[in-house]
Amino acid sequence: MSNEVTVTSRIQVMLDHYGLNANSVAQKLGYATNSKMYKILQGTEPSFPTLVDMLRSFPDVSSDWLTLGDGPMLRSEAGTAVATSSRAVSVRGLPVVNSGKVLAITVDKDGNDNLELVPIHAQAGYAVQHNEAVFVQDLPRYRVPGFEHGKFRAFEVAGDSMEPTLNHRDIVVCSYVDNWRLLVPDDMYVVVTTESVMLKRIRQRITDLDSEVLLHSDNRHRRPYPLDTADITELWRVRGYLSTYLPTAPDVTVERLWEVIESLGFDKGEVRRHLDENAPSHAPR
């Protein structure tokens, strides 16, 4: 039997001893997703840093047993004192800001992360059961070119809050944001709470759970929506979108007008800003 199989089988024995599964042990190890543990339990050899994480999180487990198969599983059974330690999670010396929950994911037969789609009709259930593996397992799964490596999830757009950028029933493909301190200001995000799934633009970084985040719509008729950061359960950054909406051909007269404006030496952006600032309040925007 190869060392790879031996190590993974011992990890399974260890998890059985503590009554843990891939999801719960990922949470204990401080991982953002359970994909790494799923792959290990399916036979992928764990990396050295992963073994170190396990030994730090399970200080009573013998390192000789886990890595080499020598001696008993528990250090106390060999008469060795059990050390305790904690695994501090930080980035650049600052504590990670997130919900503290592990992301439930699905993998294919080769252990690769799937891209799950959350359609509109499932979003109410997703808000409540997003962290339940059984619920996520039932979501449609796809492979999308350009989104094979990393943790991605797709959400169907509901409503008109992000028009004209995105339309109702468009599909946004998003990457999981583990550390909310690292979100990119002005980018678009899917914000999940226990009550809703919202597609909004976030203009400022989140620095702690005690703050309030302002969610912006691209639709000018929608006011910014304040939300307590502590109410967020998942944050997904929009990386692309799929749409069946095709814009109509450009108005030739309007295009010709812009050409004339530019030929006269005016900056198109400045002209647009001037028109917006001086338009009557009842004019469409």
Side-chain angles (χ1 to χ4, degrees):
M1 182 178 294
S2 68
N3 186 59
E4 175 183 344
V5 176
T6 304
V7 172
T8 56
S9 63
R10 285 197 292 274
I11 291 175
Q12 183 64 69
V13 170
M14 181 183 72
L15 298 189
D16 291 342
H17 173 79
Y18 290 103
L20 300 173
N21 55 28
N23 194 57
S24 55
V25 74
Q27 185 171 7
K28 183 175 179 63
L29 295 175
Y31 296 157
T33 73
N34 53 15
S35 58
K36 179 185 293 187
M37 293 309 305
Y38 267 122
K39 293 176 183 178
I40 290 174
L41 295 180
Q42 289 178 351
T44 300
E45 183 177 3
S47 65
F48 177 75
T50 300
L51 290 173
V52 172
D53 288 343
M54 290 180 181
L55 291 171
R56 285 178 174 170
S57 297
F58 301 94
D60 52 338
V61 171
S62 165
S63 59
D64 289 342
W65 175 84
L66 183 62
T67 58
L68 304 173
D70 294 341
M73 180 180 73
L74 301 180
R75 295 160 64 101
S76 56
E77 293 177 356
T80 306
V82 178
T84 59
S85 63
S86 60
R87 184 172 184 267
V89 181
S90 64
V91 174
R92 297 175 184 174
L94 297 173
V96 171
V97 178
N98 56 29
S99 66
K101 298 180 179 179
V102 174
L103 179 69
I105 59 97
T106 63
V107 296
D108 62 17
K109 59 182 178 61
D110 297 319
N112 300 312
D113 293 353
N114 289 315
L115 188 153
E116 303 91 6
L117 169 66
V118 186
I120 292 175
H121 68 81
Q123 289 179 9
Y126 184 86
V128 178
Q129 305 177 72
H130 61 277
N131 205 37
E132 296 184 16
V134 174
F135 179 86
V136 175
Q137 181 70 32
D138 290 336
L139 293 174
R141 299 184 292 277
Y142 300 93
R143 305 294 293 176
V144 179
F147 296 94
E148 298 94 346
H149 306 292
K151 182 56 240 160
F152 298 99
R153 189 156 291 169
F155 296 83
E156 193 173 16
V157 178
D160 63 354
S161 69
M162 298 309 291
E163 290 183 357
T165 311
L166 294 169
N167 296 277
H168 180 65
R169 304 200 78 88
D170 284 351
I171 295 174
V172 291
V173 182
C174 312
S175 61
Y176 183 63
V177 183
D178 175 31
N179 184 6
W180 300 346
R181 289 181 181 273
L182 304 181
L183 70 79
V184 180
D186 285 329
D187 269 16
M188 203 178 299
Y189 291 85
V190 170
V191 183
V192 182
T193 72
T194 56
E195 298 181 349
S196 62
V197 176
M198 298 174 285
L199 177 62
K200 296 292 181 181
R201 202 174 291 279
I202 301 178
R203 303 199 184 282
Q204 293 183 321
R205 284 190 172 90
I206 296 174
T207 57
D208 58 72
L209 293 175
D210 297 325
S211 61
E212 184 179 80
V213 58
L214 206 57
L215 308 179
H216 298 264
S217 301
D218 283 3
N219 187 330
R220 291 173 179 257
H221 300 288
R222 298 294 186 92
R223 295 181 177 179
Y225 177 74
L227 177 70
D228 289 337
T229 302
D231 291 338
I232 300 175
T233 54
E234 285 181 4
L235 202 59
W236 298 83
R237 181 186 176 193
V238 176
R239 294 304 188 97
Y241 74 99
L242 306 172
S243 179
T244 57
Y245 172 78
L246 296 177
T248 57
D251 188 309
V252 176
T253 303
V254 174
E255 290 298 311
R256 178 57 183 157
L257 177 60
W258 282 119
E259 289 177 6
V260 172
I261 289 174
E262 290 183 326
S263 68
L264 293 174
F266 294 100
D267 181 80
K268 186 187 294 186
E270 289 295 330
V271 174
R272 286 186 185 276
R273 280 192 289 274
H274 177 76
L275 292 174
D276 286 340
E277 292 171 359
N278 293 277
S281 58
H282 62 273
R285 292 177 177 268

